[in-house]
């Protein structure tokens, strides 16, 4: 699920969540362990806030703060599709 978060982050921002101009240069593993990712809306303010929240939750370092399973992610993504005001 963490990898899905990285992929979604890259899709909506065009940036890697832990290797970009806003994070220190270095080993990606070190950056993942030591730094929080820059919120996706920093790079693309048009990302709907609920989608940003999903991505941030997927990228939580603590497994207990991430989604428990893929179905829970799918549930939130399904809700996102039904939002009228995504901003």
């Amino acid at each position: 699920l963490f990898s899905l978060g990285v992929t979604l982050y890259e899709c909506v921002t065009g940036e890697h969540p832990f290797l970009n101009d806003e994070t220190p240069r270095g080993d990606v593993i070190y950056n993942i362990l030591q730094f929080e990712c820059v919120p996706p809306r920093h790079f693309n303010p048009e990302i709907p806030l609920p989608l940003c929240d999903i991505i941030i939750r997927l990228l939580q370092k603590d497994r207990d703060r991430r989604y428990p399973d893929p179905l829970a992610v799918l549930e939130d993504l399904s809700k996102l599709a039904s939002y009228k005001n995504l901003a």
Side-chain angles (χ1 to χ4, degrees):
L1 293 177
F2 186 87
S3 296
L4 174 61
V6 170
T7 301
L8 285 174
Y9 190 103
E10 289 178 330
C11 286
V12 300
T13 67
E15 301 282 343
H16 188 283
F18 299 99
L19 286 178
N20 54 60
D21 291 338
E22 304 297 322
T23 57
R25 292 289 169 201
D27 183 359
V28 68
I29 300 298
Y30 177 81
N31 283 0
I32 290 170
L33 294 173
Q34 298 300 318
F35 301 103
E36 296 298 322
C37 69
V38 176
R41 287 175 63 119
H42 173 81
F43 296 107
N44 181 355
E46 294 183 17
I47 298 170
L49 191 55
L51 178 57
C52 187
D53 292 342
I54 290 168
I55 294 169
I56 294 294
R57 185 170 176 191
L58 286 165
L59 292 173
Q60 291 296 310
K61 294 177 192 332
D62 181 352
R63 296 182 98 157
D64 294 333
R65 296 184 69 202
R66 280 186 236 144
Y67 285 93
D69 56 59
L71 291 177
V73 179
L74 183 59
E75 183 179 319
D76 277 359
L77 288 172
S78 296
K79 290 177 192 173
L80 177 67
S82 67
Y83 288 141
K84 293 185 192 250
N85 183 5
L86 293 175

